[in-house]
Amino acid sequence: MDPETIMIVDDTPANLQILSALLRKKGYGVAAFPRGKMALAAAQRKRPNLILLDINMPEMNGFEVCEVFKATPGLKDIPIVFISAISDTEDKVRAFNIGGVDYITKPFQMEEVYARVDTHLQLHRAREVMRKFNDQLKMRVAEQVEEINRSQLAMIFAMAKLSHTRDDDTGLHLERVQYLCRLLATALSKTDAFADTITDEYIECIFHASPLHDLGKVGIVDSILLKPGPLTSDEFEIMKTHTTIGADTLSSVYEQYPNNPFVQMGIDIARFHHEKWDGSGYPDGLVGSAIPLSARIMSLVDVYEALRARRPYKSPFSHDKSRTIIMEGHGIHFDPQVVDGFSRIDAEFDAVYSSMTDG
């Protein structure tokens, strides 16, 4: 390994010679400079392990040089030991306040120089070891958290999938919903209306939260959920409660994890994905932008997916027919801006749906 390098900055040639000789005798590499600007430029090219810095120098005094080092990325962590004939306490305090780690008074005592240099190099090595250890620890923790997140999301998706097994004849419904929500949210994120709201994190969140939209169907009895024909008005009122059942279930989770945006979005999607832009939806009859954006996106995707899917009571609709129905809901069933976003990428909707057909 290369020897550790000590940078000496002192405008007195005799001091540079004395300190250089002392340090080379101990096996250190030495870089000696009579001016602060020269030392700063040299440190940018090759970073020293420690700096011995004089205070009284022309152009830039030692305090000014130290301040520049401490403000420069890549150099600010280098330990700086001030060297000066000044023994004034105020100067020593200032040296420590601006980032110096120690202070050696001239004339030099050889053993004192060795002791202070060795001590601060050892401390610096220890800090570097600790920094690298912390970086590795953070990386390992991040990897473990990511693995836990993946496992949790997989379990949540499995639970959502289970809630659909009772009435879902289209096995890839949830997968299609995920990808269509992400596709539509991504398209909307590129518009002025939603650029500030729909971030990359938002898109990732809606991808994972969208399968929770019909979670509440687990609370609907089979005689209603699986009824092949039209529901009576009373039966439909019961069916509507799947929105509040799902949202209430997720709300109990949110009470324990109140800062989790994924759970909050899941609640919004579960409760409000059957609301309509004109206020004629359920369960709360919300109007326009009072409906959370994630639910407005989910509403369009859910309808498109239902139109394209085969059901016991209907044959699958073509993409063109489904597109026409959605366009007719512009400003009535659906957020006009969300519909406009869909109209710009509807061919991609068709491609995603077609690539994820069952069996």
Side-chain angles (χ1 to χ4, degrees):
M1 295 179 62
D2 293 334
E4 291 173 298
T5 300
I6 313 298
M7 177 176 281
I8 308 169
V9 189
D10 194 316
D11 66 319
T12 304
N15 289 337
L16 290 179
Q17 292 174 359
I18 293 170
L19 283 172
S20 296
L22 288 173
L23 295 169
R24 287 194 176 101
K25 185 177 179 181
K26 289 283 286 186
Y28 293 117
V30 175
F33 299 94
R35 298 287 186 274
K37 289 183 179 179
M38 296 171 62
L40 285 162
Q44 293 277 16
R45 294 191 297 272
K46 184 178 180 181
R47 189 179 188 274
N49 300 96
L50 184 142
I51 299 170
L52 299 179
L53 179 61
D54 188 24
I55 292 179
N56 287 330
M57 295 185 295
E59 296 181 357
M60 296 176 70
N61 64 38
F63 297 132
E64 294 168 332
V65 174
C66 181
E67 288 172 342
V68 175
F69 267 102
K70 296 304 174 184
T72 304
L75 302 181
K76 62 183 180 180
D77 294 328
I78 303 171
I80 295 177
V81 176
F82 282 93
I83 52 175
S84 178
I86 299 174
S87 58
D88 184 73
T89 300
E90 185 176 337
D91 283 326
K92 291 182 179 180
V93 170
R94 183 181 177 188
F96 287 116
N97 285 340
I98 63 174
V101 297
D102 212 337
Y103 195 102
I104 300 174
T105 304
K106 299 176 183 178
F108 309 117
Q109 299 295 321
M110 181 179 68
E111 293 304 323
E112 181 186 10
V113 172
Y114 287 155
R116 294 184 186 273
V117 167
D118 289 345
T119 295
H120 290 293
L121 283 175
Q122 288 176 19
L123 287 172
H124 186 57
R125 287 188 217 112
R127 283 195 293 268
E128 283 297 297
V129 169
M130 184 59 69
R131 181 187 64 78
K132 291 178 180 177
F133 174 79
N134 286 337
D135 287 345
Q136 292 174 351
L137 183 60
K138 288 177 183 177
M139 186 179 300
R140 289 178 182 175
V141 169
E143 289 172 351
Q144 291 176 354
V145 169
E146 180 63 25
E147 181 60 33
I148 291 170
N149 286 340
R150 285 197 296 267
S151 299
Q152 290 176 334
L153 289 171
M155 291 179 65
I156 291 167
F157 183 81
M159 292 174 62
K161 192 82 169 176
L162 185 62
S163 73
H164 272 261
T165 57
R166 295 169 61 213
D167 72 326
D168 184 17
D169 290 333
T170 57
L172 293 178
H173 167 67
L174 294 186
E175 289 85 346
R176 287 192 293 265
V177 163
Q178 284 187 306
Y179 283 94
L180 292 175
C181 279
R182 184 162 70 182
L183 181 63
L184 183 53
T186 300
L188 294 174
S189 72
K190 298 174 183 177
T191 66
D192 292 340
F194 300 112
D196 294 335
T197 304
I198 303 180
T199 61
D200 290 343
E201 291 76 15
Y202 186 101
I203 294 168
E204 185 70 11
C205 197
I206 199 170
F207 178 84
H208 291 294
S210 56
L212 300 173
H213 65 288
D214 279 340
L215 185 66
K217 284 186 175 179
V218 296
I220 306 300
V221 296
D222 285 349
S223 60
I224 294 175
L225 185 67
L226 305 180
K227 186 175 180 179
L231 299 177
T232 66
S233 58
D234 289 340
E235 290 171 337
F236 186 55
E237 289 302 313
I238 294 172
M239 177 62 82
K240 286 181 180 180
T241 63
H242 81 276
T243 56
T244 52
I245 292 171
D248 290 346
T249 300
L250 293 170
S251 293
S252 65
V253 177
Y254 191 72
E255 289 177 3
Q256 299 192 28
Y257 302 95
N259 297 316
N260 190 310
F262 166 78
V263 180
Q264 180 59 65
M265 186 178 286
I267 294 169
D268 289 342
I269 287 174
R271 184 177 185 94
F272 302 119
H273 70 285
H274 283 294
E275 297 287 357
K276 296 181 180 180
W277 187 255
D278 66 359
S280 63
Y282 64 87
D284 299 312
L286 299 184
V287 178
S289 59
I291 306 167
L293 177 58
S294 57
R296 285 179 261 156
I297 294 171
M298 182 70 236
S299 175
L300 189 148
V301 167
D302 193 36
V303 170
Y304 178 85
E305 215 286 332
L307 292 170
R308 295 297 308 272
R310 182 181 299 278
R311 293 289 189 251
Y313 50 85
K314 64 175 273 297
S315 298
F317 290 175
S318 68
H319 168 73
D320 289 340
K321 185 173 182 179
S322 300
R323 182 185 188 280
T324 298
I325 293 171
I326 286 176
M327 297 305 295
E328 290 172 350
H330 185 283
I332 302 170
H333 188 146
F334 307 113
D335 179 343
Q337 292 177 312
V338 174
V339 175
D340 291 343
F342 164 77
S343 69
R344 290 190 291 270
I345 59 165
D346 71 281
E348 295 176 56
F349 258 59
D350 186 26
V352 168
Y353 192 93
S354 299
S355 69
M356 300 180 70
T357 54
D358 302 302

